[in-house]
Amino acid sequence: MTEISMAQALNAALRDAVKDDDRVLIFGEDVGPLGGVFRVTDGITADFGEERCFDTPLAESGIVGFAVGMAMGGFRPVVEMQFDAFAYPAFEQITSHVAKLRNRTRGALSLPMVIRIPYAGGIGGVEHHCDSSEAYYTHTPGLQVVTPGTPQDAYDLLRDSIDSPDPVIFLEPKCRYWSKETVSFTRDGAAMDRAVVRREGKDVTLIAYGPMVATALESAEAAKAEGWDVEVVDLRSLNPFDDETVTASVRRTGRAVVVHEAAGFGGYGAEVVARVTEQCFHQLHAPVLRVTGLDIPYPPPKLERHQLPDVDRILDTVARLQWNDEPVVAGA
């Protein structure tokens, strides 16, 4: 066990996968000698050779299309889309072919491939570099979608994703690349499709994922000053969704708030709210609320603090959860 950053944990996962399985190949824009924009693939080409980790032309649709062919041929490609919005030129490949090939061939062919996408904001980037695009992928049947909130999960989820027989969209929260914790490489954590309770509490459940997990935990700590005992659930897997863990938490606390960076309208949180409301209706003491990004294109760096959910916005939302059983006022 050693203390490493999330970027280093991802690098370790890729290295171990390449070492353990000759079928694993890593490719994408600048992932070779440079080691990627965020250095996640640092040193892998030097240590394992250009046959295992190599650069591609700047053509995302070509990268994913090539990976489809490689996966059909028995390899396990791991490709990087350099930034979240850079993946959009490959979206047709992902939705029409990656997600559907198993169904199209009635199970004769599967695509064991991972598409790594650094996503979300918090790094002082601009539009095309800070999108939260998870809803596009979770809405597409045939894709597994996961996102780590901690360095340990970065290692475990990436190893599990590479081992999966089906395609995985692996969303890496850029603003957490430099967060550190002690990481074990034993792979004995929660299963890939399970959520986990990061902090136990009895008054309200904060449901978060990816970059917002740390923010939710910080909010839970700050909530003690207001007299609230807050539970934090890290979804980890966005599709498939772990109803069991999430609803068990909400039934215990009776209140819930969903937190994510993406825009609120049509966002992933709306699906979470719907599922929780349908399954926990009789245990809820207040409507399930959301804290999200604004319904605007991603703002310039000096303004992004207004876009991102923070502790104050989360605690303000928790305060609206009818703690005195007051009636809901329309438009309030």
Side-chain angles (χ1 to χ4, degrees):
M1 299 179 69
T2 183
E3 183 175 85
I4 58 176
S5 68
M6 180 179 287
Q8 291 171 319
L10 293 166
N11 182 276
L14 292 169
R15 287 175 172 274
D16 288 348
V18 169
K19 182 171 56 179
D20 292 348
D21 191 338
D22 290 339
R23 299 171 299 172
V24 175
L25 305 175
I26 302 167
F27 51 93
E29 299 168 4
D30 297 323
V31 303
L34 179 65
V37 172
F38 299 100
R39 302 301 184 265
V40 170
T41 56
D42 188 40
I44 295 179
T45 298
D47 292 343
F48 294 95
E50 292 185 349
E51 297 81 11
R52 305 298 302 279
C53 181
F54 53 89
D55 291 336
T56 64
L58 305 183
E60 287 78 12
S61 61
I63 294 170
V64 174
F66 179 54
V68 170
M70 296 293 283
M72 291 173 66
F75 290 94
R76 289 182 174 267
V78 182
V79 303
E80 178 182 300
M81 304 283 102
Q82 199 168 71
F83 285 93
D84 29 59
F86 289 14
Y88 298 154
F91 197 66
E92 194 278 331
Q93 290 282 352
I94 294 170
T95 57
S96 295
H97 304 295
V98 175
K100 295 179 173 64
L101 192 66
R102 179 185 284 277
N103 182 71
R104 184 180 299 141
T105 63
R106 297 297 184 262
L109 288 174
S110 61
L111 290 182
M113 58 183 287
V114 178
I115 301 175
R116 293 180 42 242
I117 304 177
Y119 87 118
I123 62 165
V126 294
E127 62 178 21
H128 303 306
H129 296 74
C130 293
D131 271 18
S132 294
S133 47
E134 58 268 29
Y136 299 134
Y137 302 111
T138 58
H139 184 67
T140 305
L143 299 175
Q144 300 175 88
V145 185
V146 300
T147 179
T150 68
Q152 180 67 65
D153 258 0
Y155 180 85
D156 291 340
L157 284 174
L158 186 51
R159 291 301 308 274
D160 289 347
S161 296
I162 295 171
D163 287 346
S164 173
D166 291 305
V168 179
I169 303 296
F170 193 91
L171 299 172
E172 301 172 6
K174 295 189 292 289
C175 68
R176 304 303 177 191
Y177 272 143
W178 302 276
S179 62
K180 289 187 175 183
E181 73 172 351
T182 300
V183 174
S184 167
F185 304 110
T186 57
R187 300 183 64 186
D188 56 0
M192 177 180 170
D193 60 351
R194 301 291 289 184
V196 298
V197 176
R198 295 287 178 201
R199 184 186 191 277
E200 294 185 350
K202 60 182 178 62
D203 294 330
V204 56
T205 299
L206 290 184
I207 303 169
Y209 55 87
M212 285 291 107
V213 172
T215 306
L217 289 168
E218 185 181 356
S219 301
E221 187 65 25
K224 293 193 296 187
E226 305 295 332
W228 299 316
D229 187 9
V230 177
E231 182 151 300
V232 176
V233 174
D234 176 359
L235 293 181
R236 302 173 74 246
S237 174
L238 304 186
N239 191 14
F241 187 84
D242 181 4
D243 288 288
E244 182 180 0
T245 300
V246 174
T247 57
S249 174
V250 176
R251 288 185 182 117
R252 284 195 303 271
T253 64
R255 295 176 172 86
V257 174
V258 183
V259 185
H260 62 64
E261 282 191 30
F265 189 86
Y268 182 79
E271 175 66 23
V272 180
V273 171
R275 299 177 84 91
V276 169
T277 301
E278 289 169 1
Q279 298 176 65
C280 304
F281 182 79
H282 294 289
Q283 290 81 32
L284 288 172
H285 303 310
V288 182
L289 301 180
R290 290 176 290 166
V291 183
T292 72
L294 306 177
D295 294 335
I296 60 173
Y298 201 83
K302 290 184 178 180
L303 297 176
E304 75 171 352
R305 69 184 186 277
H306 301 296
Q307 168 78 0
L308 303 176
D310 59 13
V311 171
D312 287 341
R313 285 178 60 193
I314 291 173
L315 294 186
D316 286 347
T317 303
V318 171
R320 294 168 47 208
L321 290 172
Q322 296 178 242
W323 292 98
N324 298 313
D325 295 326
E326 69 273 17
V328 177
V329 177

